[in-house]
């Protein structure tokens, strides 16, 4: 009898097809994982979960007595309650490395789009508002080159963003992270700063930290008031690293110039969110890793993680080794 697996959201079809040849796989998309009877019925007999964004907590795990591994199709794993998983010897995995350049491309694209007001001016042209050959200052943007880029979180993606800014746009790079990064300091001539100093000195502030208890709400009213009034804020990390209402007020009050956002406190964004009506805000729907090539590579790696765990082996990208050690 084939082992049962739950697949949930954003598992690419070639990987899903491959898994279905080997396992009894049921795919679910955007269902209520706490109340959907079909999901819970299959979960109760499943040994593995693969997918994106499924909240894993004690309540869900109580319905999954046979579960051995949860394979996230993402680098982040803040949806996993690792403490509960460790108690039950359930392994968790992620897909690091693959999406580094893709996310950095997206973040820098959002930065450029915000600085040069590209979405706003695209509508300006398409709506027939471009009436004179020479545009006026109402269409002017802000330079990127030779400005100061402050990066909060100098991990793989932070370094890739620094690379683009330093070598591509001759930007001065500042960074703040839990630990100093000598390699980034050498390669990108990056300067380490305490958070307040980074906020005060940077023309562009890019948030690219994981969501942890330490980073939740890390940027709020006080931090926005530290920034230059001409600063542009970019969030490519997780929505809850920022106090969204404080961001809205900072934009409304002119404490910062503009923002580019790929992530939000609530996703999808509520239609009445004030950010959606602000001309000085560029919004994208959490597109960080969303290219055909990257999504397929992430799904493949998640599949490898899943199958290793089902075989009782240590998965390549195990995030809670305690669970595996206890299984040995």
């Amino acid at each position: 009898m084939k082992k049962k697996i739950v697949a949930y959201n954003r598992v690419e079809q070639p990987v899903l097809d491959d898994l279905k040849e080997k396992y009894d796989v049921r795919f679910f998309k955007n269902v209520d994982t706490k109340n959907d009877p079909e999901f819970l019925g299959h979960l109760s007999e499943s040994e593995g979960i693969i997918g994106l964004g499924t909240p894993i907590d004690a309540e869900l795990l109580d319905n999954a007595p046979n579960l051995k591994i949860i394979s996230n199709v993402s680098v982040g794993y803040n949806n996993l309650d690792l403490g509960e998983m460790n108690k039950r010897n359930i392994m968790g995995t992620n897909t690091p490395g693959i999406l580094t350049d893709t996310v950095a491309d997206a973040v820098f694209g959002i930065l450029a789009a915000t600085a040069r007001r590209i979405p706003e001016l695209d509508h300006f042209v398409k709506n027939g508002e471009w009436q004179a050959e020479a545009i006026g200052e109402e269409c002017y943007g802000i330079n990127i080159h030779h400005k100061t880029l402050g990066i909060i979180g100098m991990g793989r993606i932070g370094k890739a963003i620094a690379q683009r800014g330093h070598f591509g746009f001759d930007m001065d790079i500042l960074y703040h992270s839990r630990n100093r990064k000598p390699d980034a300091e050498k390669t990108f001539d990056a300067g380490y700063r305490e958070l307040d100093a980074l906020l005060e000195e940077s023309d562009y502030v890019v948030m690219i930290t994981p969501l942890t208890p330490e980073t939740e709400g890390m940027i709020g009213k006080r931090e926005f008031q530290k920034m230059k009034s001409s600063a542009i804020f970019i969030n490519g990390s997780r929505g809850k690293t920022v106090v969204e209402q404080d961001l809205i007020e900072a934009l409304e009050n002119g404490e910062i110039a503009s923002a580019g956002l790929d992530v939000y406190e609530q996703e999808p964004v509520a239609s009445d969110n004030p950010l959606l009506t602000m001309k000085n805000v560029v919004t994208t729907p959490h597109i960080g890793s969303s290219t055909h090539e990257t999504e397929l590579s992430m799904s493949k790696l998640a599949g490898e993680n899943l199958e290793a765990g089902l075989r009782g082996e240590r998965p390549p990208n195990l995030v809670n080794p305690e669970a595996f050690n206890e299984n040995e």
Side-chain angles (χ1 to χ4, degrees), residues 143-269:
N143 280 343
I144 302 169
H145 60 86
H146 296 96
K147 294 293 184 74
T148 298
L149 172 62
I151 301 171
I152 303 173
M154 191 60 89
R156 290 188 185 97
I157 298 171
K159 290 174 184 175
I161 293 168
Q163 179 187 41
R164 285 152 177 76
H166 178 69
F167 293 112
F169 292 84
D170 291 313
M171 301 181 86
D172 293 325
I173 307 299
L174 304 178
Y175 78 97
H176 176 77
S177 64
R178 288 179 299 177
N179 303 302
R180 294 285 291 264
K181 306 290 182 177
D183 55 338
E185 294 177 15
K186 179 179 179 181
T187 304
F188 313 122
D189 197 23
Y192 176 82
R193 295 289 190 276
E194 293 297 334
L195 181 59
D196 284 0
L198 180 144
L199 299 174
E200 291 167 356
E201 295 178 42
S202 298
D203 299 302
Y204 296 87
V205 176
V206 172
M207 190 75 174
I208 198 69
T209 64
L211 179 62
T212 67
E214 293 73 31
T215 63
E216 184 169 355
M218 184 176 182
I219 304 298
K221 182 178 181 65
R222 175 187 170 279
E223 287 71 33
F224 288 119
Q225 290 176 341
K226 290 282 184 182
M227 296 182 196
K228 298 178 181 180
S229 60
S230 58
I232 291 178
F233 176 72
I234 307 295
N235 192 5
S237 58
R238 288 291 186 270
K240 291 184 178 180
T241 59
V242 176
V243 182
E244 197 165 275
Q245 184 57 41
D246 290 350
L247 170 61
I248 292 168
E249 291 176 8
L251 290 161
E252 290 175 338
N253 298 335
E255 291 170 359
I256 62 173
S258 53
L261 308 172
D262 190 39
V263 291
Y264 313 86
E265 281 188 354
Q266 175 188 327
E267 297 182 3
V269 181

Side-chain angles (χ1 to χ4, degrees), residues 63-93:
N63 290 299
N66 300 308
L67 203 58
K68 294 179 179 177
I69 182 167
I70 300 161
S71 180
N72 265 12
V73 188
S74 70
V75 65
Y77 50 90
N78 54 287
N79 62 308
L80 305 181
D81 186 334
L82 297 181
E84 282 295 330
M85 290 168 58
N86 289 341
K87 290 178 188 176
R88 306 165 196 242
N89 297 333
I90 298 170
M91 293 177 283
T93 63

Side-chain angles (χ1 to χ4, degrees), residues 110 113-114 117 119 259-262 264 278-284:
I110 293 166
T114 307
R117 300 168 59 190
L261 308 172
D262 190 39
Y264 313 86
M278 294 181 175
K279 287 186 176 181
N280 59 338
V281 177
V282 172
T283 56
T284 53

Side-chain angles (χ1 to χ4, degrees), residues 18-45:
D18 181 64
L19 290 173
K20 285 180 177 179
E21 291 182 4
K22 307 170 188 175
Y23 307 98
D24 179 359
V25 180
R26 192 71 57 84
F27 178 73
F28 299 89
K29 188 171 184 178
N30 297 330
V31 300
D32 182 350
T33 57
K34 296 293 177 67
N35 298 299
D36 185 275
E38 188 176 351
F39 177 89
L40 292 173
H42 199 74
L43 177 66
S44 68
E45 299 177 340

